[in-house]
Amino acid sequence: EAQVTQNPRYLITVTGKKLTVTCSQNMNHEYMSWYRQDPGLGLRQIYYSMNVEVTDKGDVPEGYKVSRKEKRNFPLILESPSPNQTSLYFCASSLYPDGGLRSYNEQFFGPGTRLTVL
Amino acid sequence: GDSVTQMEGPVTLSEEAFLTINCTYTATGYPSLFWYVQYPGEGLQLLLKATKADDKGSNKGFEATYRKETTSFHLEKGSVQVSDSAVYFCALNSGGSNYKLTFGKGTLLTVNP
């Protein structure tokens, strides 16, 4: 089954304790992205990756790191979590959207990771 | 920059009622427009999309038409069901270098039997 998986689904941690949220897709997608969802703000992009070893900042990258060593995996790293990073996190992937003007390939979303930082 | 404004929720309807969720956007160039749906406890799923002016996206009885003159992409369904209860997000992709989706804040729809 084609899917994007995230682990863990739920996590409660304390300020300053490093954590990693994993994301994996089995669709051979080049493009992967992380979003955070907060009440009243919708989803905002944290980081994205066009392919292996190619990553870049989205709109809200502060306090996060990512890596893309393999095509299927795109972990999100919080080296020193703070309470303002309490949120619902979504990973997404798609084929590389390079088909020309206004081309778009559907982004598939994972089930989400609910993170609470105390 | 790009932005999406959708009607505030929550929206509560009875089964078989008509649904409209308004969505307007601001973007450079010619964005592609989307509606995503998030069922309780799940991730987002693409509901429908439209990639150019006057296109109509449709799926599962939902429709939305890309109106460039009014910069709108309103979601409609003629007869909602209890199973349509979810959060609906309007989004756009203006094809920038990061292929980012810009989302509205979401509208919670509850359909009562």
Side-chain angles (χ1 to χ4, degrees), chain B residues 4 17 36 51 72 76 78 85 105:
Chain B
V4 175
Y36 277 81
T51 58
S72 65
E76 296 182 336
S85 297
K105 295 179 180 181

Side-chain angles (χ1 to χ4, degrees), chain B residues 59-70:
Chain B
N59 186 25
K60 299 180 181 181
F62 291 89
E63 293 183 340
T65 301
Y66 189 142
R67 301 285 188 202
K68 192 170 187 298
E69 64 276 13
T70 55

